[in-house]
């Protein structure tokens, strides 16, 4: 038995308050807010066992069970301030800036593993030994145990372990799922409170015996750690055990690696649960659009990291008469609803963890308004008037100076904000949050968009001929790499369904699961599938399309297609493309080169089809479902005519 289990008084009062008091030596009269006592000993037995086992392993100084209250959050913030992890941003209400260790700034895909008994359950087997698999990494359960034993023993010593009961989706909702994250990072504890629903209502569900995902996180230990941002970048690992719904993350405090409800649970573990239960867990935004005639439809869109999901999810429509409302900006859980016969989607998250650079009052006013209070900023620049600044934001006022994300005076010779710097803010604060964003049964989805950063060859929008063809379009997605993960430069990478870093199981099986949606429910009304590209460039390397709020012009065309208007399309080898003049460009100045934006260059597409086929055959080999190969064969045939 670890010592804490013998002492039933390991409660918030004795732990977090005293921890905070101890760290506030310069404020001896600090009065900690009173909290309710949530003792480890009163946790539901399955949760308690998980905590006990992890305490044994990680040896924290004490344990704090989170109730999710305001008072508790104040204590955590005090601790973060005392540790120097965050600084207050007086320009905004209740908002803070954190600077991470410069080596801990993004997801690390090469250190992310799925561990299953059989390798082929987790990742596809490439066609030959010479081909390196790029659709996830596998680790044997034995190796995982070794990796854990190499890193976790005493990894939390001297720190508080936070026990965070959290719900993905509204607590108790029919599509929601519960997790318990243990972490030694108060930054993670504070961020999980924004990004998920935490605390007592979730504990109530757990005490009724509801199953939960076990998520263990430690920032770890190494020599010469920054006291304000402990981490262990050389030994970081993000491990998933889908067979027992477990996540184990070591060495990084950065969002995608440490807020385990997000990519680890909602996508990697989520996709394996979804497959077992017949639904889909996807890297997609969810948005509601009301057109001038009053009809409202919801669409989902899968774009790779840093390719425009948050911006589309809360865009300020540039066409008059349109109303856009946001349900979610990063993750969608989609399930067949027998009442409407449609796929319904929920946003399992409660906050936005958005890319800061490029966000401003013109491109994304709704995101700017959402982060005006109760927000955590990570690795952005700091202004001398107590605010934040990043590349692409409106210039600061006269005389205001900037400190860069590394804490140095900013002089314009380098960036003020890290390219993957982020804002974390409550979704409920979004001025255009959808009235149904917390509806337990989700919202009915009329269309799914795939897209990415394609400087060349890929039209502004095209529509798949049917579901099977659409699944092939998702499988063939490619995009320029971004700062959201560790990849260097701007290479065009395959990123099927924008899920390459997030699959929890073999991508071949994932394709079969998508295809099966058509036959699984005989009466299903499937969403139409489209592909969009806001990022095509001209010969000077300038974007051909204005993007952002003007993307409503493309959505307008898509909505008319959902209504069945066949007069606005033209058939091409890759799918239906808007007929000339069928996209409303009225009032745009300069008028975009629509001919170029909608062109489908044959040579380019022959190479593209070849590249997709080679990729799937090399990477997924015998696990590629036959209908996908048939769709590629048909595409090649159409391109050769
Ligand atoms: N040119 C152009 N840039 C865009 C557009 N939409 C978004 N961006 C930029 O692309 C970057 C990423 O956009 P986000 O909307 O945050 O991307 P995301 O897909 O939500 O990213 P993750 O949070 O990493 O999943 C930001 O710098 C945006 O300003 C667009 O329509 N056109
Ligand atoms: O997971 C993260 O760190 C942020 C994110 O949304 C992504 O990269 O897609
Ligand atoms: Mn994302």
């Amino acid at each position: 038995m670890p010592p804490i289990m013998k002492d039933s008084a390991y409660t918030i009062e004795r732990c977090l308050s005293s921890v905070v008091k101890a760290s506030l030596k310069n404020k001896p009269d600090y009065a900690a807010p009173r909290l309710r006592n949530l003792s480890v000993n009163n946790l539901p037995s399955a949760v308690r066992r998980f905590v006990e086992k992890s305490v044994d392993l990680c040896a924290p100084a004490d344990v704090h069970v989170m109730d999710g209250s305001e008072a508790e959050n104040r204590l955590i913030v005090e601790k973060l301030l005392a540790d120097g992890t965050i600084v207050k941003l007086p320009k905004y209400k209740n908002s803070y800036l954190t600077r991470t260790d410069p080596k801990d700034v993004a997801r690390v895909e090469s250190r992310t593993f799925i561990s299953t008994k059989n390798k082929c359950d987790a990742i596809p087997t490439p066609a030959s030994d010479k081909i390196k698999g790029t659709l996830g990494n596998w680790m044997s359960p034995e190796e995982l145990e070794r990796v854990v034993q190499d890193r976790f023993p005493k990894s939390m010593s001297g720190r508080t372990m936070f026990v965070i009961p959290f719900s993905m989706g509204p607590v108790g909702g029919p599509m929601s799922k519960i997790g318990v994250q243990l972490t030694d990072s108060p930054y993670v504890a504070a961020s999980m409170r924004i990004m998920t629903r935490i605390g007592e209502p979730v504990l109530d569900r757990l005490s009724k015996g509801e199953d939960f995902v076990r998520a263990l996180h430690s920032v770890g230990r190494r020599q010469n750690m920054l006291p304000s941002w402990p981490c262990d970048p050389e030994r970081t690992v993000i491990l998933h055990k889908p067979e027992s719904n477990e996540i184990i993350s070591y060495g990084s405090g950065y969002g995608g690696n440490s807020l385990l409800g997000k990519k680890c649970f909602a996508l990697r573990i989520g996709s394996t649960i979804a497959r077992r239960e017949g639904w889909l867990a996807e890297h997609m935004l969810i948005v509601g659009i009301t057109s001038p005639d009053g009809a409202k439809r919801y669409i989902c869109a899968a774009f790779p990291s840093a390719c425009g999901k948050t911006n589309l999810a809360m865009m300020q429509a540039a066409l008059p008469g349109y109303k856009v409302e946001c349900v979610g900006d990063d993750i969608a859980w989609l399930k067949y609803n027998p009442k409407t016969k449609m796929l319904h989607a929920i946003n399992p998250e409660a906050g936005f963890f958005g890319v800061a650079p490029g966000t401003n009052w013109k491109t994304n006013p709704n995101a700017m308004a959402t982060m005006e209070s109760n927000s955590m900023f990570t690795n952005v620049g700091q202004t001398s008037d107590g605010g934040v600044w990043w590349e692409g934001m409106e210039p600061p006022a006269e005389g205001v100076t900037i400190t860069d994300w590394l804490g140095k005076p900013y002089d314009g010779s380098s960036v003020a904000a890290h390219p993957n710097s982020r804002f974390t803010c409550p979704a409920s604060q979004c001025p255009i949050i959808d009235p149904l964003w917390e509806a337990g049964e989700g919202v009915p989805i009329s269309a799914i968009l795939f897209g990415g950063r394609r400087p060349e060859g890929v039209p502004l929008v095209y529509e798949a001929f049917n579901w099977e063809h659409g699944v092939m379009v998702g499988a063939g997605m490619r995009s320029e790499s971004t700062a959201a993960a560790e990849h260097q430069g701007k290479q065009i990478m395959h990123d099927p369904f924008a899920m390459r870093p997030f699959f929890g199981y073999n991508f071949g099986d994932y394709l079969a699961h998508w295809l099966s949606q058509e036959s699984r429910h005989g009466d299903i009304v499937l969403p139409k599938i489209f592909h969009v590209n806001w990022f095509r460039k001209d010969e000077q390397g300038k974007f051909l399309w204005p993007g952002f709020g003007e993307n409503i012009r493309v959505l307008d065309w898509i909505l008319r297609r959902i209504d069945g208007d066949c007069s606005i399309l033209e058939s091409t080898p890759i799918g239906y493309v808007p007929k000339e003049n069928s996209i409303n460009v009225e009032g745009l100045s300069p008028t975009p080169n629509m001919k170029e934006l909608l062109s489908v260059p044959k040579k380019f597409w022959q190479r593209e089809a070849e590249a997709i086929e080679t990729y799937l055959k090399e990477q997924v080999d015998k696990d590629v479902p036959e209908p996908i190969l048939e769709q590629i064969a048909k595409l090649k045939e159409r391109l050769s005519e």
Side-chain angles (χ1 to χ4, degrees):
M1 271 290 220
I4 78 147
M5 293 308 137
K6 291 198 203 104
D7 181 357
S8 65
Y10 266 83
T11 59
I12 296 163
E13 282 295 294
R14 290 258 315 264
C15 293
L16 195 54
S17 307
S18 51
V19 168
V20 170
K21 271 190 190 145
S23 52
L24 288 175
K25 289 183 201 90
N26 53 344
K27 284 200 212 168
D29 53 350
Y30 176 76
R34 289 194 67 77
L35 302 179
R36 294 205 335 82
N37 280 3
L38 288 186
S39 160
V40 171
N41 293 334
N42 296 337
L43 288 171
S45 57
V47 181
R48 190 183 152 171
R49 277 196 301 277
F50 174 45
V51 174
E52 286 177 358
K53 212 176 124 195
S54 308
V55 165
D56 253 348
L57 180 66
C58 308
D62 39 37
V63 179
H64 173 81
V65 181
M66 285 184 76
D67 64 4
S69 66
E70 213 36 76
E72 177 187 72
N73 193 51
R74 282 210 300 283
L75 276 176
I76 294 175
V77 164
E78 284 297 347
K79 165 122 185 79
L80 285 164
L81 288 166
D83 291 352
T85 308
I86 62 173
V87 292
K88 195 161 169 45
L89 294 167
K91 199 168 170 181
Y92 323 110
K93 204 178 134 221
N94 192 29
S95 295
Y96 304 90
L97 163 68
T98 186
R99 294 188 174 91
T100 71
D101 185 303
K103 285 190 177 147
D104 189 20
V105 294
R107 285 184 292 100
V108 274
E109 294 178 7
S110 58
R111 289 145 181 275
T112 301
F113 296 86
I114 310 292
S115 181
T116 49
K117 276 187 225 88
N118 302 314
K119 188 172 179 176
C120 63
D121 290 342
I123 59 170
T125 311
S128 98
D129 301 343
K130 291 188 193 72
I131 298 162
K132 190 183 154 9
T134 59
L135 287 156
N137 306 304
W138 174 79
M139 190 182 275
S140 73
E142 295 74 30
E143 176 64 11
L144 180 140
E145 212 36 55
R146 272 194 295 277
V147 167
V148 168
Q149 288 308 327
D150 192 40
R151 287 164 173 77
F152 278 87
K154 299 203 170 60
S155 69
M156 297 187 183
S157 68
R159 300 192 197 118
T160 298
M161 173 196 275
F162 294 86
V163 178
I164 315 172
F166 67 97
S167 175
M168 299 310 288
V171 180
M175 292 168 74
S176 302
K177 303 272 176 203
I178 286 179
V180 175
Q181 175 161 350
L182 312 181
T183 179
D184 55 358
S185 161
Y187 165 84
V188 168
S191 302
M192 282 294 283
R193 184 169 183 269
I194 301 175
M195 293 305 296
T196 70
R197 296 150 178 100
I198 70 164
E200 295 212 71
V202 185
L203 278 176
D204 287 346
R205 303 290 306 180
L206 287 163
S207 33
K208 294 196 179 93
E210 195 165 318
D211 202 10
F212 61 98
V213 170
R214 287 161 176 73
L216 173 62
H217 170 250
S218 175
V219 289
R221 313 200 75 81
R222 68 167 163 142
Q223 298 281 302
N224 308 322
M225 266 181 337
L226 272 182
S228 61
W229 191 269
C231 61
D232 191 354
E234 272 77 45
R235 300 199 304 157
T236 291
V237 278
I238 324 291
L239 311 169
H240 306 74
K241 294 166 73 174
E243 285 152 353
S244 50
N245 288 349
E246 284 176 87
I247 303 158
I248 305 170
S249 168
Y250 174 89
S252 167
Y254 180 78
N257 305 321
S258 69
L259 311 180
L260 302 186
K262 197 174 184 51
K263 298 299 153 62
C264 299
F265 181 162
L267 291 181
R268 298 194 193 95
I269 296 292
S271 63
T272 66
I273 299 175
R275 183 190 180 207
R276 286 198 288 275
E277 297 181 353
W279 48 279
L280 304 166
E282 301 298 332
H283 193 198
M284 291 179 180
L285 67 93
I286 311 164
V287 67
I289 308 154
T290 310
S291 42
D293 64 4
K296 180 165 187 179
R297 297 190 218 54
Y298 290 94
I299 63 173
C300 282
F303 309 153
S305 301
C307 291
K309 287 183 301 303
T310 300
N311 278 270
L312 190 65
M314 48 187 93
M315 83 161 152
Q316 188 80 27
L319 283 180
Y322 276 89
K323 186 163 158 193
V324 174
E325 288 163 294
C326 174
V327 177
D329 81 324
D330 197 51
I331 295 170
W333 284 355
L334 296 127
K335 190 175 184 176
Y336 170 77
N337 183 304
K339 276 183 252 151
T340 60
K341 324 261 180 247
M342 292 168 82
L343 287 179
H344 279 227
I346 65 161
N347 167 16
E349 301 188 283
F352 306 132
F353 181 62
V355 176
T359 310
N360 63 46
W361 284 100
K362 199 158 163 269
T363 56
N364 195 347
N366 292 311
M368 295 299 283
T370 308
M371 60 179 106
E372 279 190 307
S373 60
N374 308 310
S375 297
M376 179 77 84
F377 296 86
T378 305
N379 290 337
V380 301
Q382 183 183 11
T383 57
S384 54
D385 62 347
V388 291
W389 194 83
W390 48 72
E391 278 59 36
M393 200 198 256
E394 289 78 6
E398 254 322 287
V400 169
T401 59
I402 296 166
T403 306
D404 72 11
W405 70 281
L406 294 160
K408 303 219 165 65
Y410 167 72
D411 60 7
S413 63
S414 179
V415 290
H418 186 276
N420 192 38
S421 55
R422 301 259 168 178
F423 54 83
T424 310
C425 52
S428 60
Q429 293 181 184
C430 180
I432 58 157
I433 199 72
D434 193 82
L436 291 182
W437 86 281
E438 297 194 278
E441 289 179 2
V443 295
I445 299 303
S446 301
I448 290 175
L449 277 48
F450 295 124
R453 290 179 181 264
R454 297 304 303 265
E456 228 192 299
V458 179
L460 182 60
V461 56
Y462 66 96
E463 179 185 334
F465 295 122
N466 52 50
W467 184 255
E468 267 185 16
H469 178 224
V471 175
M472 185 224 92
V473 170
M477 279 170 67
R478 300 169 80 189
S479 190
E480 252 176 13
S481 51
T482 66
E486 74 270 37
H487 312 288
Q488 298 299 312
K490 282 191 178 176
Q491 9 162 358
I492 303 271
M493 297 173 72
H494 289 271
D495 194 348
F497 294 80
M499 281 285 284
R500 189 202 58 245
F502 310 121
F503 293 119
Y505 63 97
N506 185 323
F507 172 55
D509 297 334
Y510 171 98
L511 283 172
H513 184 56
W514 261 76
L515 290 171
S516 80
Q517 293 297 318
E518 198 165 24
S519 56
R520 188 178 287 269
H521 317 281
D523 56 359
I524 191 168
V525 184
L526 285 164
K528 277 184 181 295
I529 296 181
F530 299 83
H531 188 285
V532 298
N533 176 26
W534 318 139
F535 300 95
R536 198 163 178 174
K537 290 181 174 169
D538 64 15
E539 270 156 18
Q540 283 76 50
K542 269 192 65 194
F543 289 124
L544 283 157
W545 181 249
F548 303 103
E550 306 295 352
N551 292 332
I552 190 70
R553 298 169 187 274
V554 176
L555 296 183
D556 163 68
W557 185 85
I558 288 171
L559 293 179
R560 283 184 279 146
R561 282 297 305 136
I562 294 170
D563 285 343
D565 186 347
C566 291
S567 70
I568 54 171
L569 52 79
E570 200 168 303
S571 194
T572 76
I574 65 168
Y576 299 122
V577 169
K579 204 181 226 161
E580 219 183 321
N581 301 327
S582 69
I583 288 195
N584 178 355
V585 291
E586 225 180 281
L588 269 185
S589 141
T591 311
N593 184 344
M594 294 310 288
K595 220 176 172 63
E596 176 69 16
L597 272 162
L598 296 175
S599 68
V600 180
K602 195 165 166 172
K603 279 258 148 48
F604 171 91
W605 274 96
Q606 282 169 337
R607 283 197 307 271
E608 185 74 6
E610 206 59 59
I612 294 167
E613 183 175 42
T614 305
Y615 180 73
L616 293 177
K617 285 191 169 164
E618 285 189 357
Q619 288 288 326
V620 195
D621 193 29
K622 61 180 190 347
D623 291 332
V624 187
E626 202 50 47
I628 299 293
L629 295 177
E630 278 165 21
Q631 285 295 334
I632 298 176
K634 283 186 197 160
L635 169 66
K636 286 169 74 173
E637 211 176 284
R638 291 191 299 267
L639 284 162
S640 68
E641 274 160 19

